[in-house]
Amino acid sequence: MQILTTVAELRAWRAQAGHVAFVPTMGNLHSGHIALCHEARSRATQKAGKVIASIFVNPIQFGPNEDLSKYPRTFDADCEKLQAAGVDAVFHPGVEELYPYGPQHYFVEPPELQNRLCGEFRPGHFRGVATVVTKLFNLVQPDVAIFGKKDYQQLKVIEGMVRDLNMPVEIVGIDTERADDGLALSSRNGYLTDAERAEAPQLRRTLEGIRSAVQQGERDYASLCERACAELDARGWKTDYIRITNRMDLQAATVDDRALVVLAASQLGRARLIDNLEIDA
């Protein structure tokens, strides 16, 4: 497996790679990331192509009071996992390599969706995500890129960006990988204490309760989500939101919508956990 740290090295690799499947990450990899790599490997093999992953902790998607400096960085262990998963190359640039001119002046500005749900609590986050993904797509020039559905809003932002800007990249969303007790795998799960880790699966159980209520005919979505937030907070969580939206553009669900998703973000100790569950009403 090749490790590429400069744009020049990446472009030289890309020139001879043929069909390319791409998995962008911020590192500190877990089995959810590796599932994305396996999907990429499967798709690349069908085209006699290559798989590349990126490891880059993107500073412009972090807010001023967020965990950029403390975000876990485990590059050597990540490379071992990627190589075992059949990844051909890793792009691991420094900040100065990806942002060589200092502060970023040109951004990819997502639509109003960036200001709702997680965007309401993390201003500028999705602008930073869209911008760095565009830069990576321009450099890697992948034929297909694989993302996880755990970051559901991020996936929708990227799908819309690729569609509206006519980027020649197929975007594939993969179901969330979970621990045996249902907790969505996340690099930030490492922030949880033992007691918090035991409590953390409650977020998934809360979403499952909402899905059951909707499937049994509940249509007062706002009240259903408010009750769920109150129940979580009574257990010691600090909930940013729980909302039911349609799956297409994450607008608030109406009683006529049938393809729904319930999304949640809540703080438990130092860890901000997000999760979602698709619902067929």
Side-chain angles (χ1 to χ4, degrees), residues 177-200:
E177 289 284 311
R178 298 182 181 276
D180 291 342
D181 59 9
L183 177 65
L185 299 186
S186 169
S187 297
R188 290 186 170 96
N189 289 352
Y191 295 158
L192 297 167
T193 66
D194 289 345
E196 289 163 353
R197 177 61 186 82
E199 169 65 17

Side-chain angles (χ1 to χ4, degrees), residues 228-239:
C229 286
E231 290 166 5
L232 271 183
D233 290 352
R235 298 175 65 98
W237 297 67
K238 184 179 179 182
T239 305

Side-chain angles (χ1 to χ4, degrees), residues 25 37 52 60 82 85 95 101 118 143 146 169 175 182 184 186 205 225 238 250 279:
T25 84
C37 294
I52 185 169
I60 67 170
L82 293 173
V95 173
Y101 308 111
C118 276
D143 297 282
I146 316 297
V169 184
D175 287 343
S186 169
R205 292 192 288 268
C225 291
K238 184 179 179 182
L250 306 190
I279 304 173

